[in-house]
Amino acid sequence: MPNQNLQDSLLNNSFDIVIIGGGMVGASLAAGFAQQNKSVLVIERARPDNDWLSQPPLRVSAVNRYSETWLQSVGCWNDIDKADKCQFNRLATWEKGTDKVEFSAEELQESHLGHLIRNEALQLACYSALEKNDSDKVSFMYGGQIDQVQNNTNNVIITGRTKDDKAFTVNTLLLVGADGANSKVRQLAKIGVTGWDYQQACFSITIKTNFATQDITWQEFQPSGPKAFLPLNDGFASLIWYDSKSTISALKGLSDQALKQAIIETFPELPGDFDIIQHASFPLTRRQANQYNNGRIVLVGDAAHTINPLAGQGVNLGYKDNATLLSLMQDSDLKDFDRLVKSLKRYTIKRKADSLLMSGVMDGFYHLFSNDKAPLKKARGVMLSLANHFSFAKKSVIKKALGF
Ligand SMILES: Cc1cc2nc3c(=O)[nH]c(=O)nc-3n(C[C@H](O)[C@H](O)[C@H](O)COP(=O)(O)OP(=O)(O)OC[C@H]3O[C@@H](n4cnc5c(N)ncnc54)[C@H](O)[C@@H]3O)c2cc1C
């Protein structure tokens, strides 16, 4: 069993790695470092709770094949309960009023295209893997807060307060910020961000359906924003409604009955009846940390980058960050400052290029599809029709997006 919240024994302790944020990205990174026999402390705001899974799903991620393989390699895949991961074999996208472009696992000669997984299940599977495997290599501190970091050449000194308001100080050779979009680590490391908020917002609605679980996920582009369907097990599904902030705000105020009617009028026809279970709205932001490292501090996941979720790539980018960082740290002597910084710079260059490319592609889709201007309408019509007719291009694009 890993050390669970041993707060007193952590005061004035040293670890090879300290990870702030044990979300889907940070917790799986801890599993990877534990495999490398490094001592790790994860400081996480809230302890994940198994009871979360008895609630209906709300936040769901499309996890691509690359991420699946990587999560398997660090032991965080098998503990995701079958009921919490819904395999999809087909993916369709189209502009309202035009032909569908559909991709299938069969035509790509693959067993499946990916899985839709509720975020809590993914995070809990990482904790379960950590508990099973690397014994005393990983420690946790829950509910504490960090106040300051000293980014020295021989270590990073982190000071903060535990949940019980005791002051603590820990030393580490590498501090990882995996603490999400509003990263405190990024701020304490004095790493700036560039980015903007999109005009659109996103409304995620969990429905319980009376039809069998679908093996297809789809997205219809409309001038007001995409409308997407993500199947989940047990008759649940997630509908994602992108629209102007004012429309999303109005939708939030509707009764379940009125919201259901709005869905029927706005979404493509669903295969059967459904009930509204719950919903939440999310702002859409694009952020890029100006660097992903500074001295002995490095950022992963949303702490480094947030992108428009319209093609469900955010957490998948985070897993690529993890895989790159782990491979660069595999044989690295963390004590050697110059070599460590060289490796972290390589990490930044590699990962920033990839995430900027993905953000750019998402923005291209966002601007191309979220309007009704005639020339753009023509351009996207041509693009989708080409995608439908040139199977080689179609296969290449989808393989890249799905992480094969
Ligand atoms: C509507 C929507 C739909 C999305 N759909 C997809 C999708 O289909 N596929 C996909 O790949 N991505 C998707 N994403 C993106 C994905 O959710 C994020 O990329 C992912 O959650 C990032 O994981 P993370 O672990 O880096 O950050 P987070 O999930 O934000 O986790 C950060 C963790 O750090 C902890 N924390 C924060 N601050 C502190 C602190 N100071 N001290 C200690 N702990 C702290 C938090 O409690 C949390 O556990 C979507 C995003 C949105 C908004």
Side-chain angles (χ1 to χ4, degrees), residues 29 33 176 298 300 321-329 344 347:
L29 181 64
F33 277 130
V176 183
V298 66
V300 294
D321 295 345
N322 284 355
T324 307
L325 186 62
L326 285 168
S327 103
L328 287 165
M329 294 298 112
L344 295 180
Y347 162 81

Side-chain angles (χ1 to χ4, degrees), residues 331-379:
D331 301 314
S332 174
D333 175 5
L334 297 179
K335 290 191 180 122
D336 183 335
F337 180 71
D338 291 336
R339 281 192 57 197
L340 176 70
V341 168
K342 213 168 152 192
S343 297
L344 295 180
K345 280 189 177 149
R346 281 182 64 200
Y347 162 81
T348 290
I349 291 167
K350 272 184 132 172
R351 295 305 309 137
K352 205 168 173 190
D354 192 35
S355 93
L356 279 172
L357 177 68
M358 192 57 86
S359 302
V361 172
M362 291 310 113
D363 285 351
F365 275 110
Y366 176 81
H367 291 298
L368 186 61
F369 283 95
S370 297
N371 66 73
D372 232 352
K373 291 180 189 146
L376 290 178
K377 216 171 169 180
K378 199 167 168 189

Side-chain angles (χ1 to χ4, degrees), residues 99-102 383-391 394:
D99 288 346
K100 287 182 184 169
V101 180
E102 187 173 314
M383 200 178 94
L384 290 176
S385 125
L386 282 175
N388 239 349
H389 289 98
F390 291 101
S391 68
K394 179 176 157 184

Side-chain angles (χ1 to χ4, degrees), residues 21 24-25 43-45 59 61-62 179 302 312-316:
M24 294 186 286
V25 174
I43 300 181
E44 165 54 43
R45 200 178 267 157
R59 290 207 57 181
S61 292
D179 49 345
D302 275 21
Q313 293 294 329
V315 79
N316 294 298

